[in-house]
Amino acid sequence: ANAFNGKAKVGGIWYNIVTKAQKAEVTADYPLYQGRVVIPKTIVYEGVTCNVTAIGEGAFAQSEVQQVVIPSSVTSIGSRAFIFCGKLNSVTIPESVETIGSRAFDGCFNLKNIKLPRNLKSIEEGVFQGCNQLQAIVIPEKVTKIGPYAFNGCRNMKTVSLNEKLESISYNAFSGCGLLSVAIPNAVRIIESETFKECPSLKTLTIGCGVEEISHGAFEKCGDLKDVYLNGGRL
């Protein structure tokens, strides 16, 4: 077969294909994707079998996709991959995914539940910003950093489980959330500015023994905050 390096449609999905490397990346379609999309592990193009290894930048952006199943061959989801997919209510992310780019699910306001893969290494800027129906999140144990505005505006997110290896929570990461309680891990040194600003339902806060600095406005407008535990004691 001849070597091919370009964009092609296979089975109703567009890919960036490199047959020499036997790899394919899901890319954008016009007209935009709709309904339920099941991405295969492999595709065959011009006689060459290629592994689907990535969801490209902006691949599903602003589309009317409702459900997406990502295969275990995929290791990365690009920046803005699902940005402003207002009808998206379900996405299956396999454990193989190690990176999810910035603002990947920004504005997916119908997304209620999502399980982050155990191999994920970081939470980038604005990944779930504006996902105001998201109810709970568990941060996988390999994640050491949560980027700015990562969960900003997730008004219905009541619970978050932060792993003990987490070292950094950036500014506005959880601003405008519906969190009821938060436990900051011991490995975190700084609670950055406005990290939990305008979390009106936040009642209980536990600050790990490693925290050395709480920046300005970190808990501004948390009007229901009543119980604060610092280094194992109650303030």
Side-chain angles (χ1 to χ4, degrees), residues 136-156:
I137 202 78
V138 176
I139 306 300
E141 63 178 12
K142 291 184 180 181
V143 172
T144 59
K145 175 185 177 182
I146 297 177
Y149 296 96
F151 298 95
N152 174 53
C154 295
R155 297 195 305 266
N156 285 294

Side-chain angles (χ1 to χ4, degrees), residues 153-224:
C154 295
R155 297 195 305 266
N156 285 294
M157 193 169 75
K158 304 298 183 184
T159 63
V160 60
S161 177
L162 303 175
N163 73 68
E164 288 301 318
K165 296 180 181 178
L166 187 67
E167 299 175 356
S168 173
I169 307 174
S170 297
Y171 56 91
N172 292 96
F174 293 95
S175 54
C177 286
L179 296 170
L180 301 174
S181 66
V182 172
I184 307 296
N186 293 332
V188 173
R189 295 289 179 265
I190 300 174
I191 300 176
E192 295 193 18
S193 60
E194 302 183 355
T195 301
F196 296 93
K197 181 181 179 180
E198 295 181 2
C199 292
S201 300
L202 184 63
K203 293 179 173 61
T204 304
L205 171 66
T206 302
I207 300 176
C209 62
V211 173
E212 300 172 351
E213 178 183 338
I214 299 177
S215 298
H216 67 87
F219 299 95
E220 183 180 345
K221 296 183 180 179
C222 294
D224 275 1

